[in-house]
Amino acid sequence: LRVLATGRGSALRARMAAQKASSFIDKLALILVRDRKQLVVRTAGKSAFFTPGGKREGAETDAQALVRECKEELDVDVAAETMEPYGVFQAQAFGKPEGTMVRMTCYTAEYTGTLTASSEIEELVRVRVSGLAPAFTSQPELTRACVLRSAGSRVTARSQT
């Protein structure tokens, strides 16, 4: 996993660079952490857990796409006005040929409703994130838990700093 950018301005610059690179799968993700546990989801028929989110459709903005994806996948209403850039992360795309990279622009946000697996999502799991500083919600290492093998709620992500 490679951290490309964190913070407001750098995340935007990194996302713009991502749009120029056609060898990347460009995705958005919502980072939801409560009690040092990050929400991850598993799509029906798959064995890996991912951070909820997805791809833009047409000329959608990041906010429009993430609001739509979270409604489809989690059945919650993301408050777009509360979205805050979290970081941009790049890694080998899970289940894709070697060299196929995914670039995720991640956000935090508030939402209303009850988190429910819907649409193509089969399972929601909160995974423990250990080894992080007390201000864990601002640590990019948290997103190391974004792509997980199906190990259920016992998966632990450890900081490598």
Side-chain angles (χ1 to χ4, degrees):
L1 178 67
R2 185 171 156 210
V3 177
L4 297 180
T6 58
R8 293 175 192 261
S10 57
L12 177 59
R13 285 190 297 279
R15 196 170 73 63
M16 289 170 55
Q19 292 172 346
K20 294 178 184 175
S22 60
S23 62
F24 290 90
I25 299 170
D26 186 28
K27 297 188 88 176
L28 301 166
L30 181 64
I31 305 295
L32 292 176
V33 178
R34 299 288 184 267
D35 300 322
R36 298 182 69 85
K37 292 182 181 180
Q38 180 180 351
L39 179 72
V40 291
V41 300
R42 185 174 58 78
T43 304
K46 305 250 175 136
S47 62
F49 285 85
F50 298 91
T51 302
K55 298 177 186 173
R56 289 171 206 80
E57 291 182 358
E60 283 182 321
T61 64
D62 285 7
Q64 291 166 333
L66 201 54
V67 166
R68 176 185 49 75
E69 286 286 349
C70 290
K71 185 65 172 177
E72 290 173 4
E73 294 181 358
L74 307 173
D75 199 26
V76 295
D77 296 306
V78 169
E81 68 277 5
T82 68
M83 285 177 57
E84 292 286 336
Y86 182 82
V88 179
F89 303 87
Q90 174 182 307
Q92 168 65 40
F94 180 80
K96 300 291 183 186
E98 185 67 29
T100 303
M101 304 299 285
V102 65
R103 189 171 286 163
M104 282 195 316
T105 302
C106 300
Y107 294 89
T108 59
E110 298 299 318
Y111 64 89
T112 57
T114 301
L115 294 168
T116 306
S118 59
S119 187
E120 71 270 12
I121 302 303
E122 190 167 279
E123 184 177 8
L124 305 177
V125 175
R126 290 220 182 247
V127 293
R128 183 118 186 106
V129 181
S130 63
L132 298 177
F136 64 90
T137 56
S138 64
Q139 299 297 316
E141 293 85 358
L142 177 60
T143 304
R144 293 183 196 282
C146 285
V147 180
L148 304 167
R149 294 271 184 189
S150 58
S153 59
R154 295 189 182 272
V155 173
T156 301
R158 297 190 188 279
S159 172
Q160 295 185 5
T161 59

